[in-house]
Structure formats: structure tokens, C-alpha cells
Amino acid sequence: MSKPRILVARAVFPEVITRLEQHFEVESNPTDEAWSKPQLIARLKGKQGAFTTGGDRIDAEVLVACPDLKICANMAVGYNNFDLDAMTTAGVLATNAPDVLTETTADFGFALLMATARRITESEHFLRAGKWSQWSYDMFAGSDIHGATLGILGMGRIGQGIAKRGAHGFGMKVIYHNRSRLDAALEADCKASYVSKEELLRSADHLVLVLPYSAESHHTIGAAELAMMKPTATLVNIARGGIVDDAALAAALKDRRIAAAGLDVFEGEPKVHPDLLSVPNVVLTPHIASATLPTRMAMADLAASNLIAFFEGKRPPTPLNPSLLATK
Ligand code: 8YV
């Protein structure tokens, strides 16, 4: 019997490709070219499965052009690159890669918070530019993390990881807002109190965004929200570009309406709003919150496991539209 054909849309670990080749006829992308939609469609035609990353958009146009497709396995917990409704209508199973990146991503969220509050990259640029001539009492004086109020918008697994680091490691007061309130046991674990979005914006000394991107969460943080924040506050976005209005944020940073920001994700990335590149009080990283080798390997392995289980007629570990499995 011939093996199912799959496309691996971006370069991944050779070990994962070898594992996939034991089960599938694999077309991969070893040069890691980021394909345009027509290029993706041309390669996906005739394939029954796809291994995708967050930058590979699977929508109705792709689905109509690739009628053999049965499953797309995302090597990411976020899946805003999938039009899930269109996939479900087309009978295409979607899977993501949750859990395996939670702690690594929470570590990074905290690292970005600390770099932002303590002005680490800004001061390093100053030093590297040869501008450090003497000590002074307020040179790169930032804001405290210990004892400060940590605000978290989006209290899923990663948000909870950040809350625990803040509460238990740094003695922070943790407040959060989420679509639904956590149960009492989880709140106690995270030492976190539920507040309204407005109270979160007004009270947080450091606000971390960890909510999923959707049409509803587009520009959750814009000029009006930034205006509610303390002028001494910092903002960290490790969620998705588009949750923050980057132009409004750049203006707020420039005018010091908030103290600083740390951003790992951007609207229209890998392009970055030019105004963000020209303000000093922002730490910028290229979407690397989950980037440790063990975690990226675990994410890739989970995406591969989803594909393998599906074609073996077993239940894939992390389906996003499991109603399709129930009717199988
Ligand atoms: C990925 C991410 O690196 O998992 C996610 O949702 O944002 C990152 O961990 C990226 O999406 C590539 O797939």
C-alpha cells in the first residue's frame, strides 16, 4: 500500500523529517523558503496531510484548491493561521501543539518583563556604543519587579505559568483578566485575583498579554487602553501581533505615556512598525518565546504524532475540531 503524501511547509529538525518518512511520502522545505499562498497551494495539491507553522495560512482558498487534504498539524499552540470553521466545513482536521511549550514560553514572558522593566537591552546598546563614561545615580534606573503588581491579560496555561513565577518567585501581587474566571483552586495556585479589564489596565505595574488572537482580540490594546495605564507601567506582548495596535503603542512609548514595552510579536511580522524601531524604551525580539531546542523539538514531535496517529486511524493527541473525529 502506498504511503500517504504529506507536505512539511517549513524546515524542521532532520530527526522529525526522518520519523515522518517512516510513515509518509514527504515533501519538505529544507531551504526554509517562506512560500507565498500560490506557492503553498502548488505544493499542497495532491497531499493528504500538512505539517504547518504559525506563518502558513490555511483558509477556504487553500482548501478548495487542495481537495485531497485531510489534516493540518500546526507546530504551534496558536492557530490563528487556520480558518478553523472553513477547515471543519471542508472536513479537514486541525491540530495544534499545546502544553509542551507552556513553561518555556512563560520563562520567556518573564525574561522579557525583566529586560523591559530593568532596561537591559537599552543599557546594553548604550554600553556597546561606547557611551558609558561614568556611573551616575539614575543611569538606566528602571522599575522594580519584586513586590510590584503583575497584570495578566489572558489566563490560559502560559498566563498561569507567568502568574506563578511572579507570585511565588518575586513576591508580586498578581491580578488577571480573562474571558472566564479561573476556578478557586487555580486562582489560589497562581495567587491571582480576577479583576475587570479596566482595573487591570489601571492597576498593573507590569502588564503581560497572553491571550489568543482572533477578530475579537484585534487591537485589544490601543490608544484608549494605553491611556488608562500608569505612566510608570510596562507592557509585554508574547501573544500575537495584532492584539496591540503597534502604531498607538509606538506613540505612547515616544510620549512616555507608559514607561516601556517588551514585544516578541508584531502586526505584519516579520516586518516591524518603523516607529517601534526608533524608540529606545522598547525591547524587541523576533517571535522566539518558545525557542529552546528541547521545546521546539517537542512541538515538532507533537505535530508529527498528530499526523501519524491520524493516518493510523487513531485519535490524534491534540485535535482542534474533534467533532470531525466523532463522525469518523
Ligand atoms: C511558534 C507560537 O514559534 O506556538 C505558538 O503559538 O507563537 C510559537 O511558539 C510559532 O507560531 C511557529 O509555529
Side-chain angles (χ1 to χ4, degrees):
M1 218 175 69
S2 64
K3 292 176 177 171
R5 289 180 299 280
I6 66 157
L7 179 72
V8 180
R10 296 294 305 274
V12 285
F13 299 94
E15 302 92 304
V16 174
I17 298 287
T18 304
R19 181 177 170 219
L20 289 168
E21 280 170 346
Q22 285 160 14
H23 300 266
F24 307 114
E25 250 179 59
V26 179
E27 179 176 339
S28 62
N29 180 3
T31 57
D32 207 19
E33 198 188 331
W35 294 322
S36 64
K37 191 186 265 187
Q39 287 172 322
L40 175 67
I41 288 175
R43 286 161 178 90
L44 203 50
K45 269 186 200 291
K47 307 286 193 302
Q48 285 103 47
F51 180 117
T52 54
T53 66
D56 306 308
R57 177 104 185 115
I58 304 293
D59 59 12
E61 191 188 340
V62 175
L63 295 166
V64 167
C66 305
D68 295 325
L69 196 61
K70 306 228 164 353
I71 173 172
C72 291
N74 224 23
M75 184 191 149
V77 62
Y79 52 90
N80 54 300
N81 58 311
F82 287 167
D83 182 337
L84 198 57
D85 289 341
M87 290 174 77
T88 306
T89 305
V92 174
L93 190 78
T95 66
N96 69 338
D99 302 321
V100 290
L101 48 50
T102 301
E103 298 303 329
T104 296
T105 305
D107 282 350
F108 188 87
F110 220 87
L112 201 49
L113 186 165
M114 295 186 82
T116 304
R118 296 303 306 271
R119 305 175 66 180
I120 287 177
T121 57
E122 192 186 349
S123 62
E124 183 180 351
H125 289 145
F126 170 88
L127 181 153
R128 284 181 186 272
K131 293 180 184 166
W132 185 25
S133 58
Q134 58 178 19
W135 179 92
S136 70
Y137 77 97
D138 63 347
M139 184 169 66
F140 293 107
S143 51
D144 275 325
I145 296 154
H146 72 275
T149 298
L150 170 61
I152 300 178
L153 188 55
M155 197 64 151
R157 291 160 285 209
I158 298 170
Q160 290 168 37
I162 292 169
K164 285 180 199 156
R165 281 159 178 77
H168 301 297
F170 288 81
M172 299 178 88
K173 175 184 172 195
V174 180
I175 54 176
Y176 77 98
H177 184 74
N178 196 39
R179 271 173 306 186
S180 49
R181 189 172 170 171
L182 299 186
D183 66 37
L186 276 180
E187 278 190 359
D189 229 22
C190 298
K191 287 196 180 176
S193 311
Y194 184 80
V195 295
S196 68
K197 184 178 161 197
E198 181 168 344
E199 191 179 338
L200 186 80
L201 291 164
R202 292 195 188 283
S203 306
D205 294 312
H206 305 293
L207 177 61
V208 183
L209 308 177
V210 212
L211 62 165
Y213 181 75
S214 64
E216 295 77 57
S217 65
H218 181 73
H219 285 188
T220 293
I221 303 293
E225 290 74 23
L226 290 161
M228 289 182 202
M229 293 176 68
K230 296 180 183 178
T232 50
T234 70
L235 175 71
V236 166
N237 187 7
I238 55 163
R240 276 290 180 272
I243 288 178
V244 175
D245 176 343
D246 283 349
L249 175 61
L253 290 167
K254 188 162 175 251
D255 300 346
R256 306 270 166 179
R257 286 201 297 277
I258 65 168
L263 306 174
D264 187 49
V265 288
F266 305 87
E267 286 189 281
E269 63 186 53
K271 290 201 185 105
V272 176
H273 195 292
D275 293 353
L276 286 173
L277 294 172
S278 63
V279 285
N281 47 341
V282 60
V283 181
L284 305 168
T285 53
H287 203 147
I288 56 167
S290 67
T292 66
L293 284 175
T295 290
R296 286 283 167 83
M297 177 58 102
M299 292 162 71
D301 251 335
L302 180 51
S305 296
N306 274 302
L307 288 167
I308 293 165
F310 178 79
F311 285 106
E312 283 181 344
K314 298 180 187 146
R315 189 182 170 84
T318 50
L320 291 166
N321 45 1
S323 59
L324 291 181
L325 296 169
T327 58
K328 267 185 85 174

